[in-house]
Amino acid sequence: MAKYTFVVLTNPTPGKEAEYNKWYNEQHIPDVLNVPGFVAAQRFRLADAQMGDKNPHRYLALYEIETDDLPTALKELKARSGSAEMVMSDAIDLKDVGAFVFAPVAEKVQAKDVLRPRRAA
């Protein structure tokens, strides 16, 4: 079965961050994981230290998808959005959401498997 990573970048509505996090963790993630093909999720908050200063999104959600029919899984996700099966909240700022599906191009590589002395400059 094919595996994908669904990357979702979001922000809370100003003044509703606590409500946004409660809704996302307790309502939205379970709703998404009830969509066939969506098998796992994890959320992240933007760390204080960054490589650059242009970071329009403060939150990231990574969803693991396992399916041989990605278009159908995404169609079902879209169909449920805003319905009783996937209740949305005004605490999420929907005008600036980034959502992208990625397919792996290589196996995961662990640092312990590639450690070697630093190269001379």
Side-chain angles (χ1 to χ4, degrees), residues 6 8 28 31-33 35-36 38 63 65 70-83 86 99 101:
F6 184 38
V8 182
H28 191 60
D31 287 349
V32 172
L33 293 180
V35 175
F38 287 76
Y63 297 91
I65 304 170
L70 182 60
T72 297
L74 296 175
K75 183 178 177 182
E76 182 63 21
L77 177 69
K78 188 173 182 178
R80 292 184 187 201
S81 183
S83 74
M86 191 173 296
V101 179

Side-chain angles (χ1 to χ4, degrees), residues 11-79:
N11 287 312
T13 299
K16 295 190 173 190
E17 191 157 0
E19 181 183 341
Y20 160 84
N21 282 312
K22 181 176 174 50
W23 164 79
Y24 216 118
N25 292 336
E26 297 176 14
Q27 179 76 44
H28 191 60
I29 284 181
D31 287 349
V32 172
L33 293 180
N34 276 302
V35 175
F38 287 76
V39 299
Q42 185 175 11
R43 293 187 64 228
F44 301 84
R45 179 182 298 121
L46 190 67
D48 292 335
Q50 296 294 317
M51 297 285 290
D53 58 356
K54 292 187 178 188
N55 302 301
H57 299 100
R58 294 196 338 258
Y59 287 89
L60 162 71
L62 296 178
Y63 297 91
E64 295 176 22
I65 304 170
E66 294 181 6
T67 181
D68 288 326
D69 189 355
L70 182 60
T72 297
L74 296 175
K75 183 178 177 182
E76 182 63 21
L77 177 69
K78 188 173 182 178

